[in-house]
Amino acid sequence: MDKLVIEGGKPLSGTIVIQGAKNAALPILAASMLVEGEVTIDQVPRLLDIDVMLGILRELGCRAEHDDQTVRLDTTGLHSSHIPEALMRQMRSSIFLMGPLLARFGEVTIYQPGGCAIGERKIDLHLSGLQALGAEIEEDGSRIVCYAKKLKGAEIHLDFPSVGATENIMMAAVLAEGLTTISNAAREPEIQDLQHFLNRMGAKIIGAGTDTITVEGVEKLTPCAYQVIPDRIVTGTVMVAAAATRGEVTLLNTCPSHLTSLIHVLRRAGVQIAVDGDIIKVGAALRPKAIDRIVTSPYPAFPTDLQSQVMVLLALADGVSVMKETIFEGRFKHVDELARMGADIRVDLSSAFIRGVSRLYGATVEATDLRAGAALVIAGLAAQGKTVVEQVHHIDRGYDRIEQMLGRLGARITRFSPVPNNTVVP
Ligand code: UD1
């Protein structure tokens, strides 16, 4: 497994371009299975999760090429709607294929994606949403088979505004007969991006970005070319890294309006932020101020995907901060690792109490999941001395060669890959 070695204590400085959004690209790739023909998607980041998704699409008979940031798909040869269990288990986002494959083939077989490092992550809202559209669902152990000769529009209320369930239901409803309304829908920007993509192919969807989405079913879609939005979580990660290292960075290709809650939090911590169109400038010369309470909640509130990164900043702040996690029950795994670096954080149920220290120290730590890993990288950049972050494959799921991106901002960060067994070392 790869490791990142970081020589900390150097403020980040410079300009970088932000990658396309993983969480927008994944459902858009899945939604491409609704149409027959060639689809081109731009600004698709080179990530492990994207590789897994493209691997599944190829397995189902789709032609898929990822050249730099562009994915070219040809869905003409798509012949199967059975996602092999081994591939399904590699990535939870394979669940996104359920709605599109069901709509296109009238049946789909998937396997429970199972729990993961950050929590239980159920799929009941995905299943009940598809059932409301007329799908019959048979569960046999971890195998789930879904049938529907023709999906029919319905009024669906989500008990919780799940991002994935909202997207899955939208995708299934596009080719359904009649009108579908999703109430208490998730409002994340990636859902708006999916709406724009589907509408460009001829779908009739309105309301994404609000809590009520209406989908008027159409007979057929037409292939298109599309560019995904910039990644707000990668943007936020670099903003926090700049603040934690007391650096000064300029980020190009951002969507500042998608980061209102983070910008508000960082300003409260004393970080200087200037926004100009799609450019964000971040500067921090002083020690951050503590923040009494940050609560993660569905968009537009503070995102769970930035909780661990901001915790690193607060671990260095002057005073005591509190962060409450309300989305995933297992999302404080970075706390023990940060403690190895000298952080003073106590977790009580879903809240973390963070007593800021004046300095973190380099240590060997382990990335337990994607965003926890990103937080440890930030901690390593801000810490005094050398930090080794292990299990980097988690970070590679969401950050396109993180060491290169941060290296462009002057970070001293190097990736080490294990020497393969059959290599003769002279
Ligand atoms: C998406 C994002 C992920 C982000 C999360 C919350 C992608 C690929 N991933 O994940 O990065 O952290 O939104 O912003 O877009 N739930 C149920 N039943 C369901 C579905 C969800 O109980 O059927 C629960 C989950 O267990 C969790 C909460 O709802 O506690 C939020 O999950 P959800 O919004 O569905 O997140 P994802 O779509 O999995």
Side-chain angles (χ1 to χ4, degrees):
M1 294 288 175
D2 288 7
K3 293 175 184 180
L4 292 173
V5 177
I6 304 166
E7 286 293 339
K10 185 165 185 277
L12 294 187
S13 131
T15 301
I16 53 165
V17 181
I18 295 297
Q19 70 184 52
K22 161 178 97 73
N23 288 354
L26 287 168
I28 284 175
L29 291 173
S32 303
M33 299 307 107
L34 285 163
V35 72
E36 203 172 323
E38 289 181 26
V39 174
T40 305
I41 318 286
D42 267 329
Q43 209 166 275
V44 180
R46 299 204 70 98
L47 305 171
L48 225 49
D49 275 12
I50 299 287
D51 290 346
V52 173
M53 178 61 91
L54 295 181
I56 296 175
L57 299 185
R58 289 188 192 106
E59 181 77 23
L60 302 179
C62 172
R63 205 164 50 73
E65 284 164 24
H66 196 174
D67 173 16
D68 191 24
Q69 303 293 304
T70 304
V71 168
R72 286 188 183 78
L73 300 172
D74 183 353
T75 68
T76 317
L78 199 67
H79 54 70
S80 169
S81 60
H82 182 133
I83 305 177
E85 185 167 15
L87 291 175
M88 189 79 209
R89 290 209 176 274
Q90 282 184 27
M91 180 183 64
R92 183 184 158 83
S93 295
S94 44
I95 189 89
F96 288 137
L97 285 161
M98 224 179 155
L101 292 177
L102 179 63
R104 180 147 168 200
F105 287 100
E107 64 110 333
V108 60
T109 303
I110 63 152
Y111 293 83
Q112 281 281 358
C116 74
I118 60 172
E120 190 186 1
R121 304 193 83 171
K122 292 186 287 186
I123 59 167
D124 54 322
L125 299 171
H126 297 246
L127 298 181
S128 58
L130 296 179
Q131 261 170 333
L133 294 173
E136 279 182 42
I137 294 177
E138 284 173 14
E139 293 193 49
D140 176 11
S142 68
R143 195 162 80 121
I144 302 172
V145 186
C146 234
Y147 307 91
K149 268 209 182 100
K150 180 75 187 159
L151 293 168
K152 286 210 168 63
E155 283 186 16
I156 300 170
H157 178 82
L158 295 177
D159 289 338
F160 180 87
S162 153
V163 177
T166 302
E167 292 170 334
N168 233 336
I169 297 165
M170 273 169 79
M171 294 188 277
V174 161
L175 297 178
E177 204 176 287
L179 207 65
T180 298
T181 310
I182 311 169
S183 55
N184 198 27
R187 292 185 281 167
E188 270 69 0
E190 293 76 17
I191 295 169
Q192 289 186 55
D193 209 31
L194 179 63
Q195 168 177 297
H196 293 149
F197 170 67
L198 289 167
N199 284 351
R200 180 151 320 160
M201 294 203 295
K204 291 188 178 165
I205 310 174
I206 55 169
T210 74
D211 63 3
T212 306
I213 298 175
T214 307
V215 185
E216 190 185 330
V218 295
E219 284 283 317
K220 204 169 175 292
L221 299 176
T222 320
C224 74
Y226 192 75
Q227 178 172 317
V228 302
I229 52 172
D231 196 308
R232 64 192 165 102
I233 306 301
V234 173
T235 311
T237 302
V238 183
M239 289 170 73
V240 176
T245 59
R246 317 234 177 123
E248 204 170 317
V249 306
T250 300
L251 305 178
L252 309 180
N253 188 40
T254 72
C255 262
S257 63
H258 295 168
L259 283 154
T260 309
S261 61
L262 176 73
I263 291 172
H264 176 67
V265 159
L266 291 181
R267 284 190 173 140
R268 277 175 68 199
V271 179
Q272 304 292 317
I273 296 174
V275 172
D276 179 11
D278 70 350
I279 301 172
I280 300 179
K281 291 186 180 189
V282 184
L286 303 172
R287 186 174 180 193
K289 288 184 262 186
I291 297 180
D292 49 6
R293 193 171 156 82
I294 300 174
V295 182
T296 67
S297 281
Y299 188 86
F302 190 84
T304 175
D305 282 356
L306 286 170
Q307 176 254 105
S308 55
Q309 299 91 317
V310 169
M311 195 180 291
V312 175
L313 186 71
L314 299 178
L316 288 162
D318 187 8
V320 177
S321 308
V322 181
M323 288 192 101
K324 187 171 166 64
E325 170 62 52
T326 73
I327 307 291
F328 293 114
E329 64 276 15
R331 226 173 189 182
F332 281 142
K333 298 237 167 72
H334 46 282
V335 168
D336 286 347
E337 303 302 303
L338 291 175
R340 289 174 203 270
M341 301 179 72
D344 182 356
I345 304 169
R346 183 172 60 80
V347 172
D348 186 14
L349 300 174
S350 60
S351 293
F353 299 85
I354 307 141
R355 185 177 297 279
V357 294
S358 57
R359 183 157 287 179
L360 293 173
Y361 296 92
T364 295
V365 289
E366 187 180 314
T368 49
D369 65 72
L370 167 56
R371 306 304 172 188
L376 297 176
V377 170
I378 297 174
L381 295 172
Q384 183 177 315
K386 184 168 99 175
T387 295
V388 179
V389 180
E390 297 183 327
Q391 306 291 335
V392 175
H393 61 101
H394 288 297
I395 302 175
D396 293 336
R397 287 188 38 229
Y399 295 84
D400 187 346
R401 294 158 287 193
I402 195 167
E403 70 284 6
Q404 292 182 18
M405 175 178 76
L406 295 169
R408 285 194 279 278
L409 295 174
R412 295 173 294 201
I413 173 169
T414 314
R415 179 185 292 257
F416 287 91
S417 302
V419 179
N421 286 339
N422 55 358
T423 304
V424 180
V425 182

